Amino acid sequence: MCGIVGILGTAPVAERLIEALKRLEYRGYDSAGLATLEGDRLERRRVGGRLKDLERRLRDAPLFGYTGIGHTRWATHGKPTEANAHPHATDHVAVAHNGIIENFGELRGELEQQGARFTSETDTEVVAHLVGSCLAKGYSPQDAVRVSLSKLRGTAALALVFKGHNNLMIGAAKGAPLAIGAGAGEMYLGSDAVALAPFTDNITYLEDGDWAVLTREKTVIYDAKGTVVYRNAIKSVASFRVDKSNYRHFMAKEVHEQPEAVGRTLAPCVDTAAACVILPKMPFDFSDVSHISIIGCGSSSYAGYIAKYWLERLARMPVEIDVASEFRYRQPPLRKGDVAIFVSQSGETADTLAALRYAKSQGLHTVSIVNVPTSTIARESETALHTLAGPEISVASTKSFGCQLMILAVLAIGAGKARRKLSESDETALVHELLQIPRLIAAALAVEPRIEELAREIVHSRNVLYLGRGASYPVALEGALKLKEIAYIPAEAYAAGELKHGPIALIDESVPVVIIAPYDRNFEKTISNMHEVAARAGKIILITDAKGAAEANLKSLATIVMPEMDGAFTPMVYDVPLQLLAYHVAVVKGTDLDRPRNLAKSVTVE
Ligand code: F6R
């Protein structure tokens, strides 16, 4: 969601700004723009649309400046038009922004009374006018930014350049992340280190409230109080090639990378010889913890929901699961010393970050499960556990979800052991189950040809229901989310036992009902629900194993057979056909499935 880059270069920067913005495309955007300083002119090129449209514009009207900023915008205030695209500017300053200025209406009113003329509907334009009005009063660029920042409410990662100041760029990170890169005689700003990877691996992350004054020679960082502060530089390993290998879409590649990604994530968490889990030292003991809260958004919250079943069963631990946007505002009473787990692929989701800060303020121990190790959530949590999914480019989470589940499974075993709810032999058996998961996911991927056929059969459905019991219920939620977000088909998931309390009214011969039913202790109950669906002529898509398929003994539209496996960790395997189903339905529909409409990979605003 919104990407920012900036370069104080030793050669024209437009082409490299585009290159860096391309590396942020995965975050999602719908308009883009650049601004560079050319002698005593401030020039902008902006488009409502994609970076390729911006490149076309630049071929017709090139930019030659050595200092510049660029932006990909995910529309919040105002449509994705050229007028609303960033950078926004006055005669003297241009600004690129990620976040939401909450008091922009009030500020805009004041600025308009002072004579400012606004040309967009965005909240960001107030920043340009605020800074511009300070410059007009004779403030230096640094003072103008300092004063303006103090007036902004909300979230703002900012990059600013100033007409007539060719060796100056200012960045700020107020509630949204910003990284500074240092190169040979050049300086850079970026929403993350990935954007800057082609230019430098020397990265400094601003802390919340920091702002920084960059020249080609040095960077001075100030904290929110205006005190000069030192922030450590790190050597980033964010460099990666963004390609689809031989796959048609990033999503297909990422779904198929799962056996390897999940295995890679598991490897540092188990001692295979001793068949036990290895957890990093944490500042609490699970046996002293009375309650765990697990918080995330979207798929990450569903990973947490699955873990609730595991933690309750394996560790007999009370667990509450919440979506971050509710948790942060509900402000539930929490007990000091308990644990909150935050699940996030990007590590930048605004609501999850705010929830983390709330939990910290209440004296909870905070554990994050993140895929981007340098992310704000990883940095701000007490213990960060890393999924090793590798970069996930497609907006829909797939391999990162599988890897989150793997870490959560290890945590559940670790907690069960610490609380003496699992014996040594229980642990050994569970670890052996986990070690089988990469192979089982690979076996689950083999059902793809059947799923491809099935996708053609259900592509015109008006809606699809997903049912599951126990840990298969959140798997159903996740499957329905995937279908909605990339194939744009309304899909709802229910705990199978809820069917007769309402959703059964939806079922007729036109409605596909995906039933997730591994042959476990819930199987019989789920199959009773399947009979209820069959009695109303619903089109059953049963996902089960060979034993389940044999026992179900009912006509289905399709029975997708998963490999045989022991009970506890079926969600990691049973989610795979649901990912494939959503993918192939989207392919048949021809949606832009790696970048579904209206969605962003990294949701850095609430
Ligand atoms: C769904 C999806 C989203 C994310 C959610 C949280 O496929 O990708 O629902 O799971 O936006 O994002 P992270 O995990 O980055 O906090």
Side-chain angles (χ1 to χ4, degrees):
M1 189 169 268
C2 294
I4 295 180
V5 293
I7 304 180
L8 273 168
T10 51
V13 292
E15 213 172 287
R16 287 189 297 155
L17 287 171
I18 297 275
E19 183 186 355
L21 286 177
K22 282 186 179 162
R23 300 175 71 86
L24 294 174
E25 273 192 304
Y26 73 93
R27 297 162 76 99
Y29 73 106
D30 34 37
S31 56
L34 303 185
T36 68
L37 300 176
E38 318 216 332
D40 61 356
R41 290 196 327 276
L42 202 168
E43 290 282 337
R44 286 186 292 163
R45 304 287 180 269
R46 299 176 298 157
V47 293
R50 295 274 168 194
L51 286 173
K52 61 178 175 355
D53 304 311
L54 183 59
E55 283 179 299
R56 209 170 300 127
R57 176 71 55 83
L58 285 164
R59 275 197 292 279
D60 296 341
L63 288 176
F64 299 103
Y66 285 32
T67 298
I69 55 178
H71 190 263
T72 44
R73 169 174 186 255
W74 186 84
T76 56
H77 296 66
K79 292 198 171 117
T81 57
E82 178 174 340
N84 288 332
H86 301 209
H88 288 284
T90 65
D91 285 345
H92 296 281
V93 60
V95 57
H97 166 223
N98 171 19
I100 292 181
I101 311 290
E102 285 164 4
N103 56 337
F104 89 99
E106 190 185 307
L107 291 171
R108 183 170 172 148
E110 286 168 20
L111 288 158
E112 278 175 336
Q113 273 184 0
Q114 291 162 26
R117 280 190 38 244
F118 281 75
T119 56
S120 78
E121 303 154 274
T122 65
D123 52 336
T124 304
E125 199 181 350
V126 297
V127 183
H129 285 288
L130 255 183
V131 175
S133 73
C134 292
L135 293 171
K137 288 181 196 146
Y139 287 44
S140 67
Q142 286 90 321
D143 285 341
V145 171
R146 184 178 47 76
V147 170
S148 302
L149 282 174
S150 69
K151 297 193 173 168
L152 301 180
R153 257 198 346 262
T155 49
L158 298 167
L160 303 103
V161 289
F162 304 84
K163 186 164 115 176
H165 295 267
N166 289 311
N167 191 16
L168 177 68
M169 188 159 65
I170 297 185
K174 193 178 158 73
L178 196 67
I180 297 172
E186 299 196 328
M187 289 287 178
Y188 315 96
L189 286 175
S191 292
D192 62 30
V194 170
L196 305 182
F199 320 133
T200 184
D201 60 0
N202 182 333
I203 298 292
T204 305
Y205 280 94
L206 293 183
E207 290 189 8
D208 191 20
D210 287 356
W211 57 286
V213 179
L214 282 68
T215 61
R216 287 181 179 78
E217 297 73 37
K218 65 172 188 182
T219 298
V220 181
I221 302 177
Y222 301 88
D223 67 11
K225 294 195 192 104
T227 311
V228 174
V229 285
Y230 176 78
R231 304 289 181 219
N232 280 333
I234 56 157
K235 196 167 159 57
S236 160
V237 288
S239 164
F240 67 85
R241 276 177 57 216
V242 178
D243 71 32
K244 298 184 193 133
S245 302
N246 292 326
Y247 291 94
R248 203 167 142 194
H249 299 98
F250 281 110
M251 182 175 171
K253 177 176 172 240
E254 289 158 7
V255 167
H256 282 269
E257 280 173 351
Q258 281 176 113
E260 198 192 328
V262 166
R264 193 167 51 229
T265 299
L266 174 63
C269 304
V270 283
D271 178 335
T272 40
C276 63
V277 294
I278 308 169
L279 283 172
K281 186 136 188 49
M282 299 193 223
F284 59 87
D285 191 318
F286 278 111
S287 58
D288 301 330
V289 173
S290 64
H291 174 268
I292 292 185
S293 306
I294 308 183
I295 292 116
C297 297
S299 297
S300 294
S301 75
Y302 296 148
Y305 206 156
I306 291 167
K308 171 182 166 75
Y309 287 86
W310 292 340
L311 279 156
E312 286 177 355
R313 181 165 163 197
L314 303 178
R316 304 301 301 148
M317 174 73 93
V319 176
E320 202 175 321
I321 165 84
D322 220 329
V323 289
S325 52
E326 288 299 314
F327 180 87
R328 65 180 287 194
Y329 290 116
R330 209 176 75 242
Q331 305 203 327
L334 299 168
R335 207 194 70 143
K336 197 169 169 206
D338 274 350
V339 171
I341 300 176
F342 299 86
V343 188
S344 174
Q345 187 283 129
S346 61
E348 300 295 351
T349 301
D351 282 323
T352 310
L353 179 58
L356 165 69
R357 289 176 179 161
Y358 172 69
K360 274 171 91 170
S361 75
Q362 300 300 298
L364 265 75
H365 293 294
T366 55
V367 177
S368 64
I369 297 176
V370 284
N371 197 39
V372 182
T374 50
S375 60
T376 314
I377 290 175
R379 283 181 283 125
E380 291 198 13
S381 52
E382 213 172 34
T383 306
L385 303 175
H386 298 148
T387 51
L388 303 178
E392 191 174 68
I393 305 300
S394 191
V395 162
S397 318
T398 52
K399 61 175 179 171
S400 66
F401 180 77
C403 293
Q404 289 168 350
L405 290 180
M406 186 49 97
I407 295 279
L408 287 160
V410 170
L411 264 182
I413 299 173
K417 185 168 138 180
R419 291 164 64 80
R420 300 184 197 289
K421 305 294 176 195
L422 293 177
S423 66
E424 219 170 278
S425 65
D426 292 335
E427 183 183 13
T428 303
L430 290 165
V431 168
H432 282 142
E433 279 185 41
L434 287 188
L435 289 168
Q436 294 304 313
I437 297 290
R439 176 184 67 75
L440 294 165
I441 293 176
L445 285 165
V447 299
E448 188 161 17
R450 177 66 191 107
I451 300 256
E452 224 176 317
E453 280 168 22
L454 180 61
R456 280 190 283 275
E457 292 170 52
I458 68 162
V459 66
H460 298 299
S461 306
R462 274 191 333 277
N463 60 346
V464 179
L465 285 184
Y466 288 72
L467 301 178
R469 271 177 191 262
S472 297
Y473 165 48
V475 176
L477 288 166
E478 169 61 6
L481 177 65
K482 284 279 124 26
L483 192 72
K484 280 183 274 212
E485 65 180 331
I486 62 168
Y488 313 150
I489 297 183
E492 285 180 81
Y494 290 95
E498 278 290 287
L499 187 64
K500 52 175 93 55
H501 299 286
I504 201 162
L506 292 171
I507 293 172
D508 63 24
E509 62 291 342
S510 70
V511 180
V513 183
V514 180
I515 300 176
I516 300 133
Y519 193 77
D520 59 15
R521 58 188 181 163
N522 292 317
F523 180 79
E524 277 180 16
K525 300 271 177 224
T526 313
I527 292 306
S528 306
N529 301 125
M530 180 168 146
H531 280 272
E532 291 158 8
V533 173
R536 276 119 196 130
K539 290 192 213 166
I540 291 166
I541 298 168
L542 174 64
I543 303 187
T544 185
D545 48 25
K547 271 192 218 139
E551 279 209 18
N553 194 24
L554 247 186
K555 197 167 165 302
S556 63
L557 174 65
T559 298
I560 306 293
V561 180
M562 293 288 96
E564 295 287 332
M565 63 186 291
D566 292 327
F569 302 117
T570 50
M572 282 189 255
V573 176
Y574 279 65
D575 183 48
V576 172
L578 304 185
Q579 296 172 347
L580 289 171
L581 184 62
Y583 172 75
H584 283 290
V585 173
V587 170
V588 180
K589 275 191 96 165
T591 65
D592 187 0
L593 65 93
D594 276 335
R595 286 184 299 218
R597 65 187 182 204
N598 309 334
L599 291 176
K601 182 72 182 160
S602 176
V603 184
T604 51
V605 295
E606 30 170 329

